[in-house]
Amino acid sequence: MAAALLLLSGCEQRSPPADAALPGSVPAAPAQAPTADADPAQAVLRASQRFAALRSFHAEMRLHGAQAGQVVHTTMDFVAPDRYRLEGPGGVQTIIGNTFFLQSEGRIEQVPVPDGLLQQWRSPLPSEAGLQGLTVEAGGTADIDGTATRLYRVEGPTGSGETLQYWIGADGLPRQVQRDGFNKDQPYRITLRYSRLDDSTLQVPLP
């Protein structure tokens, strides 16, 4: 599970084959969707800043392409300042501060959290530096779990074959993030869907 989540920041970038195709699409949104921002890059940056200020959220991640035909599903709860609860194929795991509580066969082992592991979960949108030199465009609209959103698309560096897409609600907060790229010349897609934003009832207890 941890290895799959690390793909958010660790996937190798390669040029895609001409006929590469990835599954899935987002249905059309209802009429009352957010209007496109005049400066798409600023819309993405503002969403990043608002998301970083959240005190809690729930996320569902689906990874297509970990292996041929495989889809890995993982959920995560975050409660500020530093509590994470992960649930996936490997079971339930908890991170509090800089300690990873690994639960297996009725035992709990405490190990240090690898440097940089949490940043990709806490701030899934790029910073201003991360957008420099990249093309950001406003796209269409979509309904994400009942919330009308506007799509913003970021093209990765030339030749990388990578794209990032953000579905942002009228409140300026992301409801879905999608990353398409290549790992060792194999296409993958990571989709993160967010809910329970700033939900005060969300908790991550000690294991």
Side-chain angles (χ1 to χ4, degrees), residues 122-134:
R122 187 66 189 91
S123 301
L125 280 73
S127 64
E128 186 170 4
L131 286 178
Q132 287 182 359
L134 302 182

Side-chain angles (χ1 to χ4, degrees), residues 21 34 40 50 70 84 95-96 118 133 173 175 183 202 206:
R50 289 189 175 109
Q70 183 183 21
Y84 300 82
I95 295 176
I96 298 179
L118 303 183
L173 286 167
R175 293 309 195 279
N183 182 34
L202 195 60
L206 276 167

